[in-house]
Amino acid sequence: MPNKKKYIVNGDSEIKAQIQFADQKQEFNKRPTKIGRRSLSRSISQSSTDSYSSAASYTDSSDDETSPRDKQQKNSKGSSDFCVKNIKQAEFGRREIEIAEQEMPALMALRKRAQGEKPLAGAKIVGCTHITAQTAVLMETLGALGAQCRWAACNIYSTLNEVAAALAESGFPVFAWKGESEDDFWWCIDRCVNVEGWQPNMILDDGGDLTHWIYKKYPNMFKKIKGIVEESVTGVHRLYQLSKAGKLCVPAMNVNDSVTKQKFDNLYCCRESILDGLKRTTDMMFGGKQVVVCGYGEVGKGCCAALKAMGSIVYVTEIDPICALQACMDGFRLVKLNEVIRQVDIVITCTGNKNVVTREHLDRMKNSCIVCNMGHSNTEIDVASLRTPELTWERVRSQVDHVIWPDGKRIVLLAEGRLLNLSCSTVPTFVLSITATTQALALIELYNAPEGRYKQDVYLLPKKMDEYVASLHLPTFDAHLTELTDEQAKYLGLNKNGPFKPNYYRY
């Protein structure tokens, strides 16, 4: 029988609408005890760290449960400027990186074409993203283009320990491991940023936690940043909030809303990875299951298409009438969550919002309903409301919890409401090649832009760069683009080499 345990949580579970930064009462040079470490730093941003569970339970039982922070490790070059689970796993991580390189043609082409020019020479990039084999290819590409990098993870469950070890062995200061506690998460970010004699001038962020940590804790450092590249809905929303308040003192690039990110990472990636994440955690069959997908943006569209193709009966909730009409035209029934919550077998959130699934919804769900999130933030499902004395939590397997009501009803909660695909499975490498190349080009553009081109605001990636990213991936399919004749280009009023669509065009 799995171990049963009850959680008692004191305090206000309400998540404030505006970005809040809790004062960190713990100084990082005063090491907490091993027992107390998980309860510290309740959060600067609940989007990445709102968790009460034991991080160790999410790692393999054979792993050494000693915190990496308590280990003294060095790579083969004698450097100890990193903190990973086990540096001895580096060889295995290197193999995974080499496999990923085969499916990331654009990044490898960019590395080959630009490494002689070193367009990022002098760039000091601090990054906070998922640390996977694909991210490793991006980091090593940035290094080949001349940048110095320091890295932390944007999600406490998505790090591949062997990949982090391989990066540390290669000389990258990486501070991340799978199953970090909340305090570990912020400690790792601080170790990336707070380095004597090292001033970052570029930020690559996924979710906005790194950006806001620097903004709050190191304001003088933040003012010296030359540019920020952000790839998530959550992080972009935060940047626009800062910009609107007049507090964004550096230019930022919104990669999330670039065409190559929206259409490929959000749509095609989620179309494949939603099934993978659900299968690995629940072993369920999709045919005939009733599923409600909250949100019909690009992520929601991908999830719905995949589940429909597997024979599921799919409902959609949406606030935007345009997205709602798209869902109807695609053959999905548009509902309010309250209308179907008692009958559905699976609830999937992908809105980027908060409290989409509330305690009231959770109370009304049928027995064995599966609840998961495909958005970046873990704010979409009100998991905190489930940490009450009358409910029992039962760990089934890694990333799978039964939450049991007094009458015996139970729901199946995946990854504690965090991002399902990267927490519970993997995502297609080829799609991540598109996103990673977009990020690399955005960093190059911001770093090399002449003074005055970008003001203290949030910008979209230039259309020409989106097209360039797409063109780098076409040879993989032996695809051949048609070229405009001079007469045709003149007729359309276009340059023969692009861009081929105006900025307002919706693909």
Side-chain angles (χ1 to χ4, degrees):
M1 290 287 293
N3 293 326
K4 295 185 177 181
K5 52 185 178 182
K6 291 188 176 181
Y7 294 79
I8 299 176
V9 179
N10 295 319
D12 185 8
S13 63
E14 185 181 53
I15 302 172
K16 294 184 179 179
Q18 299 297 321
I19 301 168
Q20 299 289 327
F21 297 95
D23 290 331
Q24 302 296 305
K25 297 181 180 180
Q26 160 109 12
E27 294 181 10
F28 284 97
N29 58 356
K30 295 179 181 178
R31 296 296 299 280
T33 64
K34 187 173 181 181
I35 295 174
R37 191 174 282 156
R38 293 189 179 99
S39 64
L40 297 170
S41 301
R42 264 305 306 137
S43 78
I44 282 182
S45 160
Q46 298 222 0
S47 68
S48 296
T49 62
D50 193 5
S51 168
Y52 295 78
S53 71
S54 168
S57 63
Y58 277 88
T59 59
D60 189 283
S61 59
S62 63
D63 284 349
D64 179 6
E65 293 188 7
T66 303
S67 170
R69 292 169 63 175
D70 297 324
K71 296 179 181 178
Q72 297 294 325
Q73 300 185 80
K74 291 185 178 181
N75 62 18
S76 61
K77 301 177 182 65
S79 173
S80 59
D81 188 18
F82 63 87
C83 191
V84 300
K85 186 70 174 178
N86 187 353
I87 190 66
K88 295 179 181 179
Q89 295 179 331
E91 185 178 346
F92 297 102
R94 177 52 52 190
R95 294 171 190 168
E96 292 189 32
I97 295 170
E98 290 171 353
I99 292 173
E101 288 176 347
Q102 306 307 310
E103 274 282 287
M104 304 186 80
L107 266 186
M108 301 308 292
L110 185 63
R111 187 187 300 185
K112 185 176 181 181
R113 292 182 187 183
Q115 63 181 357
E117 303 168 10
K118 303 289 184 186
L120 290 175
K124 295 182 177 180
I125 303 171
V126 61
C128 184
T129 65
H130 301 283
I131 295 184
T132 62
Q134 297 82 10
T135 307
V137 178
L138 170 61
M139 291 172 61
E140 293 185 341
T141 298
L142 297 177
L145 301 184
Q148 297 179 33
C149 301
R150 297 180 69 85
W151 229 262
C154 70
N155 185 295
I156 63 175
Y157 296 141
S158 64
T159 298
L160 297 181
N161 287 331
E162 64 275 17
V163 171
L167 288 168
E169 175 60 31
S170 298
F172 286 91
V174 174
F175 301 86
W177 58 93
K178 187 179 182 71
E180 297 170 8
S181 69
E182 300 162 41
D183 183 67
D184 292 334
F185 176 84
W186 297 112
W187 179 86
C188 288
I189 288 179
D190 198 73
R191 281 295 305 273
C192 280
V193 174
N194 187 16
V195 186
E196 186 176 352
W198 199 84
Q199 162 70 48
N201 51 28
M202 300 293 293
I203 294 174
L204 178 57
D205 210 353
D206 185 349
D209 292 309
L210 170 62
T211 299
H212 284 275
W213 181 264
I214 298 176
Y215 170 78
K216 179 64 179 179
K217 305 296 285 186
Y218 304 100
N220 292 330
M221 179 186 293
F222 190 73
K223 293 175 184 177
K224 297 177 183 178
I225 298 293
K226 192 168 184 178
I228 301 168
V229 175
E230 171 60 55
E231 73 152 316
S232 76
V233 173
T234 305
V236 166
H237 178 66
R238 291 173 170 179
L239 287 174
Y240 281 122
Q241 282 185 321
L242 282 177
S243 178
K244 187 176 180 179
K247 297 179 180 179
L248 184 64
C249 56
V250 296
M253 195 73 79
N254 170 5
V255 168
N256 179 73
D257 291 313
S258 66
V259 176
T260 43
K261 171 67 165 62
Q262 281 278 358
K263 288 295 179 182
F264 297 93
D265 192 332
N266 293 10
L267 176 60
Y268 299 123
C269 175
C270 294
R271 190 175 69 182
E272 296 196 18
S273 60
I274 178 63
L275 301 179
D276 189 18
L278 286 170
K279 278 285 188 185
R280 291 197 195 198
T281 50
T282 66
D283 303 315
M284 72 175 306
M285 187 170 185
F286 298 107
K289 293 293 192 300
Q290 296 191 59
V291 185
V292 60
V293 177
C294 301
Y296 201 67
E298 300 298 339
V299 173
K301 288 180 175 70
C303 293
C304 288
L307 291 162
K308 182 180 180 180
M310 296 300 292
S312 297
I313 301 164
V314 183
Y315 303 96
V316 172
T317 72
E318 183 51 74
I319 62 168
D320 186 327
I322 297 175
C323 292
L325 183 58
Q326 286 180 311
C328 293
M329 297 293 287
D330 288 337
F332 302 108
R333 185 183 167 197
L334 190 76
V335 298
K336 291 184 177 180
L337 187 56
N338 284 332
E339 298 170 357
V340 296
I341 196 63
R342 289 187 184 276
Q343 68 195 59
V344 293
D345 302 291
I346 309 173
V347 178
I348 302 170
T349 58
C350 43
T351 68
N353 205 343
K354 71 169 189 175
N355 294 339
V356 178
V357 177
T358 65
R359 175 61 188 268
E360 181 184 355
H361 294 128
L362 294 160
D363 285 339
R364 295 174 60 200
M365 288 176 184
K366 65 191 290 187
N367 186 50
S368 298
C369 181
I370 297 169
V371 187
C372 63
N373 170 49
M374 282 290 285
H376 177 84
S377 298
N378 64 333
T379 56
E380 303 203 28
I381 303 166
D382 188 9
V383 176
S385 70
L386 298 175
R387 312 287 185 179
T388 54
E390 76 273 12
L391 300 183
T392 302
W393 283 62
E394 184 178 85
R395 173 54 48 85
V396 181
R397 60 173 70 160
S398 178
Q399 309 285 29
V400 182
D401 289 294
H402 280 167
V403 183
I404 307 171
W405 269 250
D407 63 359
K409 184 199 88 168
R410 64 183 62 199
I411 65 168
V412 183
L413 180 64
L414 304 184
E416 293 191 354
R418 287 184 172 81
L419 185 57
L420 173 71
N421 53 5
L422 279 162
S423 295
C424 301
S425 60
T426 58
V427 294
T429 300
F430 185 81
V431 169
L432 290 185
S433 173
I434 299 172
T435 301
T437 307
T438 305
Q439 291 172 311
L441 289 176
L443 287 166
I444 292 171
E445 171 66 15
L446 280 178
Y447 183 68
N448 292 284
E451 188 174 350
R453 176 181 293 179
Y454 297 106
K455 297 179 174 59
Q456 297 169 354
D457 206 347
V458 185
Y459 294 86
L460 290 173
L461 193 72
K463 180 77 67 175
K464 184 68 177 173
M465 290 192 183
D466 262 328
E467 293 178 351
Y468 179 61
V469 171
S471 69
L472 288 175
H473 288 85
L474 289 175
T476 301
F477 304 99
D478 193 25
H480 305 278
L481 278 174
T482 300
E483 296 181 7
L484 291 172
T485 65
D486 292 337
E487 184 181 2
Q488 289 172 325
K490 183 178 180 181
Y491 177 76
L492 293 173
L494 297 175
N495 186 307
K496 289 179 65 175
N497 298 315
F500 298 100
K501 299 289 190 297
N503 286 331
Y504 58 79
Y505 182 82
R506 297 291 178 262
Y507 289 81

